Amino acid sequence: MIRFLTALTLILAAFLPVQAGADPADIGAAARGVVRVVLVDFDGTNARLIGHGTGFAVSDNQIVTNAHVVEMVENDPQLVIGVVPPEGKKGYMAKVVAVSRDKDLALLKLAEPGSIPALALYPGMVTDGSEVTAVGYPGNVDLAQGLGMGDLVGPQSPVKSRGAVSGGRSARSVDTILHTAAIGAGNSGGPLLDGCGRVVGVNSFGTISNNGTDSAFYFAISMREVLPFLQRAGVKPHQNAMPCRSNADFAAQQSQLNAGDQARLAAKAEDDRRHAEKVRRDTELKVLAERENGMAMAGVALVAALAAAGAAFVFAQRGNDRAMRIAAIGGVALLFGAVVLWLVRPPLSSIDERAKDALAAPSPSASATKSAAKIADNGTGKMICVIDPQRSRVTVSDTQDIPLEFDAGGCVNTRTQYGLGANGYSRVLVPRQDETVSVNAYDPATRTFRTDHYLLGFDTMARLRDARGKFKAPECGATDEVARNLANDEQSLTALLPPEPQERLSYHCQPLK
């Protein structure tokens, strides 16, 4: 059922409008993959900047830009293409691998080893009034800052401008998005982003008024053109059609969900309390009834013992020895029985223990699923985890089901030891190459697996990698003490993370049959 709802959510999202309300953290994360594309005239000795535009990564070494940004390279073999990321220490040489002149699109590939964070593409509809952000390197800003060639071929943060989609108009020869997010010469080939930092178009050109000045309307090539272009070029970019929610909206929704959970837990606790009270009352009445029955039976046995003793006395007076012995033995037996019945009465102190046992006894419905409960009750073993859309905020990641194997003690997938902190089992993963830090957590009690993704900049990642190198994570199978030490060590990593992640993926995990 969960998987069906997830699929339905994704299908509907493709037909829903992009929602307004850009989150600065999402835009900043996307900007890590926006590059300056420079054309340099190099004669073997001297280099001269000919022009520049903007591009964005669709994989770690592939860049989308406009065809008109790189068209001069075809006619001049001395021109070389450089790709300059916004962070780091250097740029990269690149080459053109695919061009569509009629759609004004080009695909570049790094000609040397390098990695640039790829952006996610939004394949859904962009409707009138949706808030969008243009990111790129407008030349008028460079000119105003007095930047020279040395500055333009070095890492610099791109410029961001915000606007809105003006629906109903498109260029005749290519499907475009008309918008008001200001761009200038140099922005060509840069991304137009939605509120979650996903690419909805490739900025290409602006309108020109009769007096030759730029007006406030601009065109971006839509995903209807970009996606088929990339498909023909053999590129499989990451696409994300999940509904876009700001961190603030997501936090508010989670507060509501958590409040509902707390209310349900409180209601269940109250039901459990009332049930426990009823069980105790019933147990108390049962114990009292058993005590009264025991006392009555002991009394009857005592009276019978006295009667037997009286009969034995009478038989003795009459000289009937055989009858006297039988009556005497019967009287002793009845007296002993009375004592036993009195002693075996359930004590009042047994009420609580018997009530506890009654509460612990499985119900008939629980007995019917005893084998399944035995597998799942401790949250360990091999599981398949399905995304929970209501509990997740997804901007760039895939949402397919993930396998998970959890062993008691915090070993995940037989290879990764999780730390044991105040909030349960978790692990901070700091990759050597990728610019995304993941904080994974698993709760065996609810079989909930969660991944928080932090899309970070170059400097923050450098500090995290340095902090991560100062301790060694234990192998799987560690003791609780070692797992707690790992959680303490990882506090040096979480202290460097922003207050909120860009993404939170929450999964429900079910045991594999």
Side-chain angles (χ1 to χ4, degrees), residues 11 93 113 228 258 282 460:
I11 293 171
M93 303 297 292
N258 291 336
D282 292 345
T460 303

Side-chain angles (χ1 to χ4, degrees), residues 30 34-35 54-56 119 133-136 187 189-193 199-203:
V34 179
V35 300
T54 303
F56 61 93
L119 278 69
T133 302
V135 183
N187 272 105
L192 185 67
L193 306 177
V199 182
V200 298
V202 181
N203 285 312

Side-chain angles (χ1 to χ4, degrees), residues 435-452:
E435 305 299 303
T436 300
V437 168
S438 301
V439 179
N440 297 342
Y442 178 68
D443 181 5
T446 61
R447 297 190 303 281
T448 300
F449 180 75
R450 193 183 75 194
T451 297
D452 287 349

Side-chain angles (χ1 to χ4, degrees), residues 33 125 189 191 233 299 320 485:
M125 296 185 299
N320 190 343
N485 290 337

Side-chain angles (χ1 to χ4, degrees), residues 171-185:
R172 291 184 180 275
S173 60
V174 59
D175 192 84
T176 57
I177 300 169
L178 181 64
H179 65 89
T180 60
I183 62 174

Side-chain angles (χ1 to χ4, degrees), residues 230-252:
L230 292 175
Q231 185 178 18
R232 291 191 297 270
V235 179
K236 296 181 179 179
H238 176 63
Q239 301 180 50
N240 184 343
M242 293 285 284
C244 177
R245 293 176 291 179
S246 69
N247 264 317
D249 290 341
F250 178 69

Side-chain angles (χ1 to χ4, degrees), residues 253-466:
Q253 184 199 39
Q254 297 312 295
S255 295
Q256 292 179 350
L257 291 174
N258 291 336
D261 289 345
Q262 292 299 321
R264 284 188 290 273
L265 289 174
K268 183 179 183 303
E270 179 63 17
D271 290 342
D272 291 344
R273 184 188 66 79
R274 291 178 179 177
H275 177 63
E277 287 183 352
K278 182 179 183 302
V279 169
R280 193 186 188 285
R281 284 197 305 270
D282 292 345
T283 303
E284 182 178 3
L285 293 174
K286 186 176 181 180
V287 169
L288 292 175
E290 290 177 4
R291 284 175 59 84
E292 290 175 357
N293 291 337
M295 292 170 64
M297 292 174 65
V300 170
L302 181 61
V303 171
L306 292 174
F313 179 76
V314 171
F315 289 139
Q317 293 295 321
R318 294 178 179 178
N320 190 343
D321 294 339
R322 184 174 180 273
M324 179 198 69
R325 285 194 296 270
I326 293 174
I329 293 171
V332 171
L334 288 169
L335 180 61
F336 179 77
V339 172
V340 170
L341 288 171
W342 181 269
L343 294 177
V344 298
R345 292 175 308 150
L348 294 176
S349 59
S350 69
I351 295 175
D352 290 337
E353 189 66 27
R354 290 176 64 172
K356 181 179 178 182
D357 292 341
L359 287 171
S363 64
S365 60
S367 298
T369 57
K370 183 177 179 181
S371 59
K374 185 176 181 180
I375 296 174
D377 59 1
N378 60 359
T380 61
K382 293 183 178 181
M383 295 167 279
I384 190 70
C385 302
V386 181
I387 194 76
D388 180 357
Q390 282 194 313
R391 297 284 187 179
S392 301
R393 182 177 189 263
V394 186
T395 59
V396 298
S397 294
D398 294 320
T399 57
Q400 70 267 25
D401 299 351
I402 60 172
L404 181 73
E405 182 176 356
F406 185 83
D407 293 335
C411 181
V412 173
N413 295 334
T414 70
R415 64 178 182 271
T416 306
Q417 176 64 45
Y418 276 34
L420 180 57
N423 296 321
Y425 290 99
S426 65
R427 183 68 185 269
V428 182
L429 303 178
V430 182
R432 295 180 179 178
Q433 297 296 330
D434 190 22
E435 305 299 303
T436 300
V437 168
S438 301
V439 179
N440 297 342
Y442 178 68
D443 181 5
T446 61
R447 297 190 303 281
T448 300
F449 180 75
R450 193 183 75 194
T451 297
D452 287 349
H453 288 156
Y454 295 83
L455 314 181
L456 305 174
F458 183 85
D459 293 337
T460 303
M461 286 301 306
R463 290 193 295 270
L464 279 160
R465 290 181 180 123
D466 180 65

